[in-house]
Amino acid sequence: MILLVAALLAQAPTCSLEVLHGDSHACDAAIEAAPQGQDKAELFYTRAYASNEAGRFADALGDLDHALAVEPNNPKFLHERGYTLGALGSYRRALADLDREVVIRPTFPDAYEERSYARRRLGDFAGAYADRAEAVRLKPGDADALLDRSHAALWIGRFDQVRADAAAAAGASNGNAAVVQRAARLRRAAELWSGRSGTSNPAKRCDDAMKEDKLDAPDVIGDCTAAFFAATTPAEKADALTVRSLAWAVGQQDEKSWLEDGEMAVAIDPGNSDWHANLGGIYVHLGRMREGLAEFERAVSIKPSVVALAGRARAKYELGDKAGAFADAKGAFEIKPNPIALDVLGELAHDRKDDKSAKLYWMGAYHLGLRGDELIAELKSVGVDHPEKEPKQ
């Protein structure tokens, strides 16, 4: 009898975090076999955790919904769904779950850390800082918690706090190179954010840097920061961040800050199509095509502008949706001839072995100002070694 029971147990479906290693399908049989109740809810949570580890956030959300239907006040389930919703961009729903978690377990620092992220992505920088400060209180001396509070302090203009927390984190790092490097980056950010050119109108100088193509000029970061803090409307704040994001890219070659400012512009003024299109372009440049496509989708849903449609065409092409890319590129070009749409149309023509059309499209993109190494290589592939010598069509 003992041997029979042991054999049956050996055949039972296994579903635990220790054995999954990101393979959520290992839980399928166990969930199917389990009766309704708390045990099944726990299995749904476990499979959701594995799905999140694998980046399958929509799958995780479905399982967490099932788990919370059984145990609506389980803080572990609420925390995981808050994380999942944040990964899916549903920050308000994430915040609702994390608010409930904080009430249930107010001394759990991870709850405040996750809620800080949701608040920040909703443009609530004061709330995000408050949560990071609470995490530091609950984890005194923790280097990562100090660095997170230092970063949150940037966004409310508490630059002395940025420096103090960065120094404290470096001191508590025990030589951890990643901590030391991040602390140095935050101290450098505090200097750039707080720097000023001396102008009495930093908002104008921020705008002029964009209009006059002087984004690499000294103190543009600081002047745009001053404009951001002084602005009284979400649109004005997002505009200052958008210019500053380009100054990070052009003047500082800092892609991380370029992306962060693009994300925060959307967080502050989410109803503006231009900010979504700008963020989509950053994601595409960084090779994060699906995130770029999602932002272009949001941009087009608000206003189908040339930039939004052309950007979506590029993202769709990179993701293999050639029919969708053609439709968007054609739509963008019909609104206004532009180099991005022409570049995509050229690649589509080249893919179908129509080099004559590809050459026409790519030369059009060149004459409209696209000058990157990639376009030059594309032109060479269709026999154009010197674009300036080619006659205009």
Side-chain angles (χ1 to χ4, degrees):
M1 178 63 72
I2 293 175
L3 291 175
L4 177 59
V5 171
L8 289 171
L9 288 174
Q11 295 171 14
T14 301
C15 176
S16 69
L17 294 178
E18 291 74 22
V19 301
L20 284 177
H21 303 299
D23 180 14
S24 62
H25 296 297
C27 285
D28 294 351
I31 289 173
E32 186 68 25
Q36 293 295 332
Q38 291 184 348
D39 289 345
K40 190 160 191 165
E42 192 70 33
L43 291 172
F44 276 124
Y45 163 79
T46 303
R47 186 167 70 178
Y49 191 97
S51 292
N52 277 334
E53 289 286 293
R56 294 192 295 273
F57 303 115
D59 292 343
L61 180 59
D63 280 346
L64 290 164
D65 287 344
H66 287 307
L68 281 159
V70 177
E71 294 187 69
N73 292 314
N74 185 308
K76 181 173 67 174
F77 298 173
L78 287 167
H79 186 90
E80 193 68 16
R81 190 168 71 175
Y83 166 81
T84 305
L85 288 165
L88 290 168
S90 297
Y91 302 113
R92 292 199 182 281
R93 289 182 62 197
L95 184 59
D97 278 354
L98 297 165
D99 282 344
R100 287 168 60 196
E101 182 193 5
V102 165
V103 170
I104 295 166
R105 48 178 180 182
T107 61
F108 184 59
D110 290 7
Y112 295 97
E113 291 171 346
E114 195 64 50
R115 189 172 70 172
S116 177
Y117 174 76
R119 283 178 158 176
R120 181 168 170 271
R121 294 305 295 261
L122 290 167
D124 179 10
F125 301 120
Y129 175 83
D131 278 345
R132 293 298 183 183
E134 184 63 15
V136 169
R137 189 185 72 81
L138 293 168
K139 297 195 297 186
D142 183 90
D144 287 329
L146 285 164
L147 289 174
D148 288 337
R149 185 172 69 176
S150 176
H151 181 258
L154 275 174
W155 286 92
I156 56 173
R158 296 183 58 170
F159 301 123
D160 287 343
Q161 183 75 65
V162 175
R163 298 181 185 99
D165 281 346
S173 69
N174 294 318
N176 184 304
V179 171
V180 172
Q181 184 178 20
R182 189 178 171 202
R185 179 182 173 83
L186 283 162
R187 288 194 294 269
R188 171 64 174 161
E191 296 308 311
L192 289 170
W193 283 48
S194 60
R196 298 289 183 272
S197 66
T199 179
S200 61
N201 191 344
K204 183 177 185 303
R205 184 165 184 271
C206 182
D207 287 340
D208 288 347
M210 179 70 174
K211 294 173 184 175
E212 298 170 9
D213 196 21
K214 295 180 179 179
L215 292 165
D216 59 346
D219 303 316
V220 170
I221 298 293
D223 284 335
C224 288
T225 300
F228 165 71
F229 284 125
T232 57
T233 69
E236 289 172 345
K237 285 183 175 294
D239 187 54
L241 287 182
T242 300
V243 177
R244 192 178 74 170
S245 76
L246 295 170
W248 285 117
V250 174
Q252 301 295 322
Q253 291 77 53
D254 184 342
E255 290 185 341
K256 187 173 182 178
S257 294
W258 176 34
L259 172 60
E260 183 178 24
D261 277 0
E263 290 176 332
M264 292 306 101
V266 166
I268 292 167
D269 191 21
N272 188 306
S273 173
D274 292 341
W275 312 145
H276 287 286
N278 179 63
L279 179 56
I282 297 171
Y283 280 136
V284 167
H285 176 84
L286 297 176
R288 295 163 61 171
M289 297 301 166
R290 294 198 180 279
E291 290 165 285
L293 178 60
E295 289 302 324
F296 285 124
E297 296 280 14
R298 294 182 184 109
V300 170
S301 72
I302 298 168
K303 183 180 70 176
S305 66
V306 170
V307 173
L309 285 169
R312 191 170 72 172
R314 166 55 63 195
K316 285 181 176 179
Y317 178 82
E318 297 297 335
L319 290 168
D321 179 8
K322 294 187 178 182
F326 177 80
D328 279 346
K330 181 173 180 290
F333 184 83
E334 288 173 349
I335 296 173
K336 181 181 179 180
N338 65 92
I340 301 302
L342 285 167
D343 187 35
V344 172
L345 290 169
E347 291 182 27
L348 289 165
H350 188 61
D351 289 346
R352 61 176 185 268
K353 312 301 182 184
D354 183 358
D355 285 356
K356 181 178 180 181
S357 295
K359 176 181 175 181
L360 288 172
Y361 288 133
W362 284 334
M363 283 304 303
Y366 182 87
H367 290 306
L368 286 177
L370 195 62
R371 294 288 192 276
D373 292 341
E374 187 172 344
L375 179 64
I376 299 303
E378 289 171 336
L379 285 167
K380 285 184 178 181
S381 74
V382 292
V384 179
D385 290 324
H386 304 286
E388 290 296 333
K389 296 181 180 180
E390 289 288 318
K392 289 187 178 183
Q393 299 296 319

